[in-house]
Amino acid sequence: DMYANVTVPIPKSLKKDPSQTPKWAKPANKLSPNRIRKIMPPYYGMVKCIDDNVGRVLKALEQHGILDNTVVVFTSDHGDLCGEHCRLNKGLPYEGSAKIPFLVRYPAKVPAGTVVDEALSCVDFLPSVLALMGIKTAGKEQGRDASALLRGEEVRDWEDVTFIRSTSGSPWFCAVSDDHKLVYSQSDSPWLFDLAQDPDELTNYYGQDSHREVARKLARALRAYCDTYGDPFGS
């Protein structure tokens, strides 16, 4: 096979025991290591293309003398599974599908090297970025203003929980913290992932004594979110 010797990382979760797969994450057929070796080089090429063109944008801002007075944000609408859990593309609460980049460059207010460990969601982007610009939004949005975290400040009352949900197909609803993820779905029992101990998301810690309190905390946060915003997934 012409792709057998191509150097491409093969995800550990490509091949796993059925007990390690929730019913909402049915694996794709005919997804082999050789197929991943075939599809990933063009993927890497597109990543380089994006990187090169982000560099062109930054260079143009610098040439016009406005780079340091511009809030530059790099983010995405979703991730992209590349063989993890024997799946491609998006639509699942797994890290490869749901976790996205959120990089901010604004030297006037965001210190270089600042890392925010708390979980954030797309709905937090609008109030956070506008707050960095000193602009108040009209109306009431769901998102939280995380500009203090981006400035590297300590926020004592910040709750490290956010929420993600499916859009169609097999419905799931999820509460996420920096280290844990609780997924509810009508198609399966609850799944609790420990992202620190199990970064490949192969083990369900729900019901284990060691994780009982964190499961309760995330479940309470999810219930409060549904009650506040009337999310139909919480019914």
Side-chain angles (χ1 to χ4, degrees), residues 87-100:
R87 294 288 295 255
L88 298 175
N89 302 322
K90 57 180 180 176
L92 296 175
Y94 285 130
E95 292 289 272
S97 171
K99 191 173 183 178
I100 61 174

Side-chain angles (χ1 to χ4, degrees), residues 41-55:
Y43 184 97
Y44 294 149
M46 290 304 299
V47 171
K48 185 180 185 303
C49 177
I50 293 172
D51 188 58
D52 291 345
N53 282 285
V54 169

